[in-house]
Amino acid sequence: MTDDWSDPSGELVRPYTATRGRAHASRLLALEAMVCTTAHGRHRHQELLLDERSIVEMCLRPQSVIEIAAKLRLPVGVVRVLVTDAESTGLVEISQLDTTDATQEVGLLGRVLTGLRRL
């Protein structure tokens, strides 16, 4: 029996410490939601904590939530919390389709199908 307490991932800090233990974002955020740094984020870039700075730098070019998670090597849930926190402080803006109304989604799919048939 060994007393090996090391983490097989090699990480020294658990991912959810970055969110101070919060596992849920302040709003629903799709994996494909696009995140872009604001002028305020570019201005405050040097003052930010490591995770915030990484997101702000990465999103100088629009990135999806899943791309941010992959590049930061963090769980998507953690990235969703960090991104919505950054949005609430004006560092980034998020654009995503509103999928609360299923009729809009069906309408969009119908228009896409019509467009594909015209090709």
Side-chain angles (χ1 to χ4, degrees):
M1 181 173 173
T2 63
D3 289 327
D4 187 9
W5 291 89
S6 65
D7 184 350
S9 69
E11 300 291 330
L12 298 176
V13 178
R14 299 282 185 202
Y16 285 94
T17 58
T19 64
R20 292 176 293 261
R22 293 173 295 143
H24 300 287
S26 58
R27 72 178 181 129
L28 187 62
L29 199 56
L31 294 176
E32 69 275 10
M34 297 303 291
V35 183
C36 187
T37 300
T38 63
H40 178 67
R42 282 190 295 272
H43 179 71
R44 292 202 43 221
H45 164 258
Q46 295 297 326
E47 310 164 8
L48 302 174
L49 299 174
L50 181 62
D51 291 325
E52 290 175 320
R53 187 179 324 149
S54 297
I55 291 171
V56 165
E57 287 175 357
M58 189 180 309
C59 295
L60 290 172
R61 278 189 34 223
Q63 303 284 322
S64 68
V65 171
I66 194 71
E67 288 174 309
I68 296 169
K71 289 177 181 172
L72 292 179
R73 302 175 73 186
L74 289 172
V76 172
V78 170
V79 170
R80 282 178 167 148
V81 172
L82 294 173
V83 166
T84 55
D85 285 353
E87 180 191 38
S88 70
T89 55
L91 300 173
V92 298
E93 31 183 53
I94 301 169
S95 55
Q96 67 177 343
L97 289 176
D98 181 14
T99 57
T100 56
D101 185 5
T103 57
Q104 289 180 352
E105 210 168 294
V106 171
L108 174 65
L109 290 173
R111 289 191 302 275
V112 170
L113 182 61
T114 302
L116 289 172
R117 286 182 178 154
R118 289 182 184 160
L119 295 176

